[in-house]
Amino acid sequence: MKNQRLLVTLTVINLGLLACQVFRPRFAFAQENAPVLRGRALEIVDERGKVRAQLRVFPPDPKHKLPNGDPYPETVLLRLIDPNGRPSVKLATDVRGGGLYLGGAEDPTMARLGAEGPEARLELVNKDRQEKVIRP
């Protein structure tokens, strides 16, 4: 009888420990702030899984050429993408300079500001393809 009571007691203790392991609350505590967030790319997606913002480094691409014939250089590009999947804001930089593109709701409506080497340029295009280019 004493052995049976000991067996029941040990079984209850084991079940209690098992329940503590299975059902115990798991707390997540904030760690110290990391000094740097590192990665190859960053994408922000909406609740449907569509990419809405992207920050990425594109490697140089010798297969594709710039208008002057040079190969595309390594480029850092930030894109903000509208709900239709169209990049409405682009911010880019490479060895030639930097640029900002703001797209309108209808193609080809856009404003583009860029600096390439010693030259700066502002280009405005409306939906009727009327274009205005401003250079200093």
Side-chain angles (χ1 to χ4, degrees), residues 2-99:
K2 196 172 187 180
N3 285 340
Q4 187 177 8
R5 190 178 300 161
L6 179 63
L7 185 60
V8 169
T9 303
L10 287 175
T11 303
V12 169
I13 290 172
N14 280 335
L15 287 174
L17 289 172
L18 177 64
C20 286
Q21 288 294 322
V22 172
F23 298 113
R24 77 174 169 181
R26 299 199 192 317
F27 296 106
F29 296 101
Q31 305 263 334
E32 275 187 42
N33 289 339
V36 176
L37 175 63
R38 299 178 74 107
R40 305 295 293 166
L42 174 66
E43 290 184 346
I44 298 174
V45 297
D46 63 13
E47 61 278 356
R48 294 169 295 186
K50 290 177 78 174
V51 176
R52 299 298 300 276
Q54 180 182 56
L55 178 60
R56 187 170 168 196
V57 178
F58 290 91
D61 188 355
K63 292 183 218 168
H64 294 91
K65 305 290 182 190
L66 296 169
N68 66 1
D70 291 342
Y72 268 98
E74 179 180 79
T75 304
V76 179
L77 181 62
L78 168 67
R79 290 182 181 140
L80 302 179
I81 302 163
D82 70 17
N84 298 322
R86 184 170 167 261
S88 293
V89 176
K90 293 180 185 177
L91 180 61
T93 186
D94 60 38
V95 294
R96 300 168 301 139

Side-chain angles (χ1 to χ4, degrees), residues 86-87 101 103-110 125-129:
R86 184 170 167 261
Y101 167 88
E106 295 182 36
D107 278 333
T109 307
M110 62 96 176
V125 179
N126 68 14
K127 71 176 185 170
D128 299 327
R129 296 195 182 274

